[in-house]
Amino acid sequence: MRRRTWLPAAAAFAFFVLVWKAVVVVGGLPPFILPPPETVAERFVTAWLDGTVWPHFVTTMVEVALGFTVGAGLALVVGYGLARSPLFERLASPYLVAAQAVPILALAPLLVLWFGPGLASKVVICALIVFFPVAIATMVGLRSVDARLLELGRSLRATRRQVLATLEIPSALPNIFGGMRVGVTLAVVGAIVGEWAGASKGLAVLINLARGSLFDIPLMFATLLTIALVGIVLYLLVVALERRLVGVR
């Protein structure tokens, strides 16, 4: 099963690398426009070994972890309120939709101005971008709980807390994890956007340094590769946790 899962992904990646190499060779592109894949791979390894990437990577990961935790935690509470309180839904929905309609790229400079260029603004940006998909997924999951199960719980005189813990949350977990799959990758986007708006350290800062003062285009591509790998690994971690808790095959 694992081989069936990984072989197509590995084949697609190999095909992507071959196309990349062919574009460089056939187009005669210089390294400062599009470096060949072997040059990027070599720079990726050397940048990690000489410590160039590590401090920026740690900074971004702290921002992603805190932002995702705060955003997903608040989203679970608000999603429950949206699912179980019609009044709360009518009051909160317009503001949630309006906040989602405004691009985070437009809000990032303002949030950096309010909260400063440090960790706080990055956590807020990550939390905002994570919040909406997890909240909506939680609301949809709780509303899709079988009404007969809820009626059974009431007939057995289960308390509100018991119904939530034994019926609602287990039934809604697939939807909640669906939102978290989206949210964890968006958390990476939020951290990069926040660093782009203003920061002294982080993977987005390293991209700017590689592109600007260092003019090290292979390093820029290596940093982009690092960001992509971070998103993939975090997504797979959420999937693994979902399989452990929900039993999804």
Side-chain angles (χ1 to χ4, degrees):
M1 182 62 69
R2 289 184 178 179
R3 176 175 294 183
R4 291 180 181 178
T5 302
W6 287 105
L7 276 180
F13 177 74
F15 178 76
F16 170 77
V17 172
L18 289 175
V19 171
W20 179 1
K21 179 65 175 178
V23 170
V24 173
V25 173
V26 174
L29 300 176
F32 63 86
I33 297 296
L34 181 63
E38 66 272 14
T39 302
V40 174
E42 180 183 356
R43 192 67 183 96
F44 178 85
V45 174
T46 57
W48 276 97
L49 292 179
D50 63 17
T52 300
V53 176
W54 178 251
H56 299 280
F57 170 78
V58 171
T59 299
T60 299
M61 289 306 300
V62 170
E63 295 164 357
V64 169
L66 292 177
F68 178 76
T69 301
V70 172
L74 290 175
L76 291 174
V77 176
V78 172
Y80 180 82
L82 292 172
R84 292 294 176 249
S85 173
L87 175 61
F88 180 74
E89 181 187 7
R90 288 195 296 270
L91 292 175
S93 291
Y95 298 99
L96 294 177
V97 173
Q100 181 65 16
V102 179
I104 195 66
L105 191 62
L107 286 176
L110 182 61
L111 294 174
V112 170
L113 179 64
W114 285 349
F115 296 96
L119 178 63
S121 60
K122 313 307 180 296
V123 172
V124 171
I125 292 170
C126 287
L128 284 176
I129 201 171
V130 168
F131 176 84
F132 192 80
V134 178
I136 297 303
T138 302
M139 179 188 71
V140 172
L142 289 173
R143 285 182 175 177
S144 63
V145 178
D146 193 336
R148 292 172 297 180
L149 290 177
L150 299 178
E151 187 63 31
L152 176 62
R154 297 189 190 99
S155 66
L156 296 175
R157 296 183 179 180
T159 64
R160 179 71 258 179
R161 181 178 299 179
Q162 289 173 330
V163 170
L164 176 64
T166 60
L167 296 178
E168 292 181 325
I169 291 180
S171 299
L173 274 181
N175 294 85
I176 292 174
F177 273 106
M180 286 187 174
R181 290 189 193 187
V182 177
V184 75
T185 54
L186 289 178
V188 180
V189 175
I192 299 303
V193 169
E195 292 168 359
W196 212 280
S200 59
K201 193 179 293 184
L203 292 176
V205 176
L206 185 57
I207 290 176
N208 282 331
L209 291 173
R211 181 189 59 179
S213 58
L214 297 179
F215 200 67
D216 189 346
I217 304 304
L219 176 60
M220 186 181 75
F221 274 82
T223 308
L224 291 172
L225 176 60
T226 300
I227 294 171
L229 291 175
V230 166
I232 292 171
V233 170
L234 291 177
Y235 180 87
L236 292 177
L237 286 176
V238 173
V239 171
L241 182 61
E242 179 184 3
R243 288 177 176 174
R244 186 177 184 85
L245 295 180
V246 184
V248 176
R249 299 299 182 203

